[in-house]
Amino acid sequence: MNEKIETSAELAEAAAMPRCHEVHADPERCPPEQPENVVKKPVEQKSPAQWAYERLIMYIQNFEKTLDNEHEVAMGFTGGDAGVLRIEGMGYFDPDVITFYGSDPSGAKTQLVQHVSQLSVMLRALPKQVEQAEPNRIGFRLAQDLEKA
């Protein structure tokens, strides 16, 4: 049993903090790290689009940590025949739209605009583009942008 006594302010603060809980077969795999800026602003003050955007960044960054130098993050589309999009950018439009920018495996420019209520993202590993020396890590750049905000 936990013997720690918390004040009512500490309890209220803990209840307002976003939480993530995951269990994996691989004990080395960790849940997504939350950039400091994600927890600075209370969830109630964020639009559904901003909140979804910030959490997707955490998942993308965590997925990229599992990739070798020969692969990059992409997303597979569910419920259709659209295929896969190599994630090259991401954004949101308040109050409720998320946008993914990228290219498909043939190199065609691709953009997905999705309402947060329909959000279903499957992260996939695609081989990096051959002409690149290093894999493109969009999760790192997205997290840096959050830190600036």
Side-chain angles (χ1 to χ4, degrees), residues 3 6 9 21 28-29 42 56 75 80 96 105-106 115-116 134 138-139:
E3 299 293 327
E6 294 181 325
H21 179 80
E28 299 297 314
R29 186 152 179 201
L56 281 166
M75 61 181 271
D96 53 10
S106 73
H115 191 274
V116 293
E134 295 292 321
I138 186 67

Side-chain angles (χ1 to χ4, degrees), residues 38-57:
V38 171
V39 294
K40 279 184 183 175
K41 186 176 181 182
V43 175
E44 309 81 50
Q45 294 178 10
K46 297 178 184 182
S47 70
Q50 181 181 2
W51 188 219
Y53 173 81
E54 290 174 353
R55 286 178 291 163
L56 281 166
I57 290 171

Side-chain angles (χ1 to χ4, degrees), residues 6-17 19 44:
E6 294 181 325
T7 66
S8 56
E10 289 171 326
L11 285 172
E13 182 179 87
M17 296 300 283
R19 288 184 289 280
E44 309 81 50

Side-chain angles (χ1 to χ4, degrees), residues 83-138:
V84 176
L85 175 142
R86 183 181 309 273
I87 302 172
E88 297 167 357
M90 197 172 82
Y92 67 93
F93 194 115
D94 281 337
D96 53 10
V97 172
I98 300 286
T99 306
F100 297 92
Y101 303 91
S103 56
D104 68 13
S106 73
K109 197 173 186 176
T110 309
Q111 180 178 352
L112 171 68
V113 179
Q114 189 148 33
H115 191 274
V116 293
S117 67
Q118 299 295 313
L119 193 58
S120 180
V121 176
M122 177 177 58
L123 299 178
R124 295 189 51 187
L126 283 186
K128 71 177 183 172
Q129 295 172 345
V130 178
E131 65 272 3
Q132 288 180 228
E134 295 292 321
N136 182 19
R137 297 289 187 240
I138 186 67

